C-alpha cells in the first residue's frame, strides 16, 4: 500500500510538469511571448531556411508529371515569394509577431499561421481580409 501512495504522489506531482511540457511544445503565441529576443531571431532564421525545403517537398513527388502540375507549383511559389517575402526581413516578422500576440485573443494561434497574417499585413492586404483570417485562425485554434 505505501508503494501505491508513493506512486500516486509522484504522478500527482509530475502531472503539472507534463502539461507544461506539452504546452511548451506548441508553437503558439504563449510560446512566442516567452522567448528571449535571440530565440525569436533564431526561430525566424530557421523559418526562412525551411522555405526552400518546403518548396521542394511540394513538387518532388511530381517531377515526372506531364500535366503541368509542377509548373503551377513553381508559379505559385514564385508569385507568393515575390508578393510576401521579397523585401521582408526576419526582424520585421519578429516585430509583427510581437504586436500580433499582444492581443491575448491571438495567443492560441500557431506561429506559422500568425506569420501568414503578419506577411499579409506587410504586403498591404486589406484590413477586412486580415480580420477574417485572424478570426478563422482563432476559431480553428480553439478546437
Amino acid at each position: 500500500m505505501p508503494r501505491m501512495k508513493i506512486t500516486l504522489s509522484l504522478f500527482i506531482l509530475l502531472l503539472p510538469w507534463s502539461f507544461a511540457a506539452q504546452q511548451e511544445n506548441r508553437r503558439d503565441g504563449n510560446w512566442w511571448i516567452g522567448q528571449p529576443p535571440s530565440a525569436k531571431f533564431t526561430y525566424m532564421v530557421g523559418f526562412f531556411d525551411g522555405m526552400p525545403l518546403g518548396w521542394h517537398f511540394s513538387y518532388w513527388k511530381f517531377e515526372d508529371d506531364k500535366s503541368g502540375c509542377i509548373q503551377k507549383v513553381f508559379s505559385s511559389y514564385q508569385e507568393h515569394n515575390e508578393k510576401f517575402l521579397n523585401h521582408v526581413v526576419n526582424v520585421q516578422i519578429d516585430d509583427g509577431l510581437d504586436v500580433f500576440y499582444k492581443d491575448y485573443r491571438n495567443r492560441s494561434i500557431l506561429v506559422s499561421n500568425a506569420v501568414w497574417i503578419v506577411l499579409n499585413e506587410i504586403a498591404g492586404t486589406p484590413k477586412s481580409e486580415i480580420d477574417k483570417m485572424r478570426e478563422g485562425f482563432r476559431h480553428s485554434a480553439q478546437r
Side-chain angles (χ1 to χ4, degrees), residues 2 7 28-29 32 42 54 61 63 80 88-89 94 97-98 104-106 112 114 117 122 131:
T7 302
D28 62 10
W32 180 262
T42 302
K61 182 177 179 179
E63 285 183 306
H80 282 87
V88 175
V89 295
D94 185 330
L97 289 172
D98 287 344
Y104 70 91
R105 296 171 297 177
N106 296 334
S112 56
I117 291 173
I122 293 170
D131 291 344

Side-chain angles (χ1 to χ4, degrees), residues 57-107:
F57 279 179
S58 68
Y59 75 83
W60 275 339
K61 182 177 179 179
F62 306 106
E63 285 183 306
D64 295 332
D65 178 50
K66 306 292 186 232
S67 69
C69 178
I70 291 178
Q71 188 54 44
K72 290 178 183 177
V73 169
F74 287 164
S75 176
S76 176
Y77 186 88
Q78 184 176 7
E79 180 182 323
H80 282 87
N81 195 47
E82 287 175 11
K83 180 176 181 181
F84 295 104
L85 296 172
N86 257 3
H87 302 291
V88 175
V89 295
N90 58 336
V91 176
Q92 282 178 281
I93 300 171
D94 185 330
D95 291 346
L97 289 172
D98 287 344
V99 170
F100 181 79
Y101 285 130
K102 282 186 181 186
D103 184 339
Y104 70 91
R105 296 171 297 177
N106 296 334
R107 299 276 173 83

Side-chain angles (χ1 to χ4, degrees), residues 104-130:
Y104 70 91
R105 296 171 297 177
N106 296 334
R107 299 276 173 83
S108 62
I109 297 174
L110 295 175
V111 174
S112 56
N113 293 333
V115 167
W116 179 235
I117 291 173
V118 169
L119 288 174
N120 271 275
E121 289 175 328
I122 293 170
T125 300
K127 185 178 180 337
S128 60
E129 288 183 44
I130 301 282

Side-chain angles (χ1 to χ4, degrees), residues 5-20:
K5 285 183 180 179
I6 291 172
T7 302
L8 184 59
S9 296
L10 283 173
F11 176 76
I12 290 170
L13 286 172
L14 295 176
L15 191 59
W17 289 102
S18 171
F19 179 72

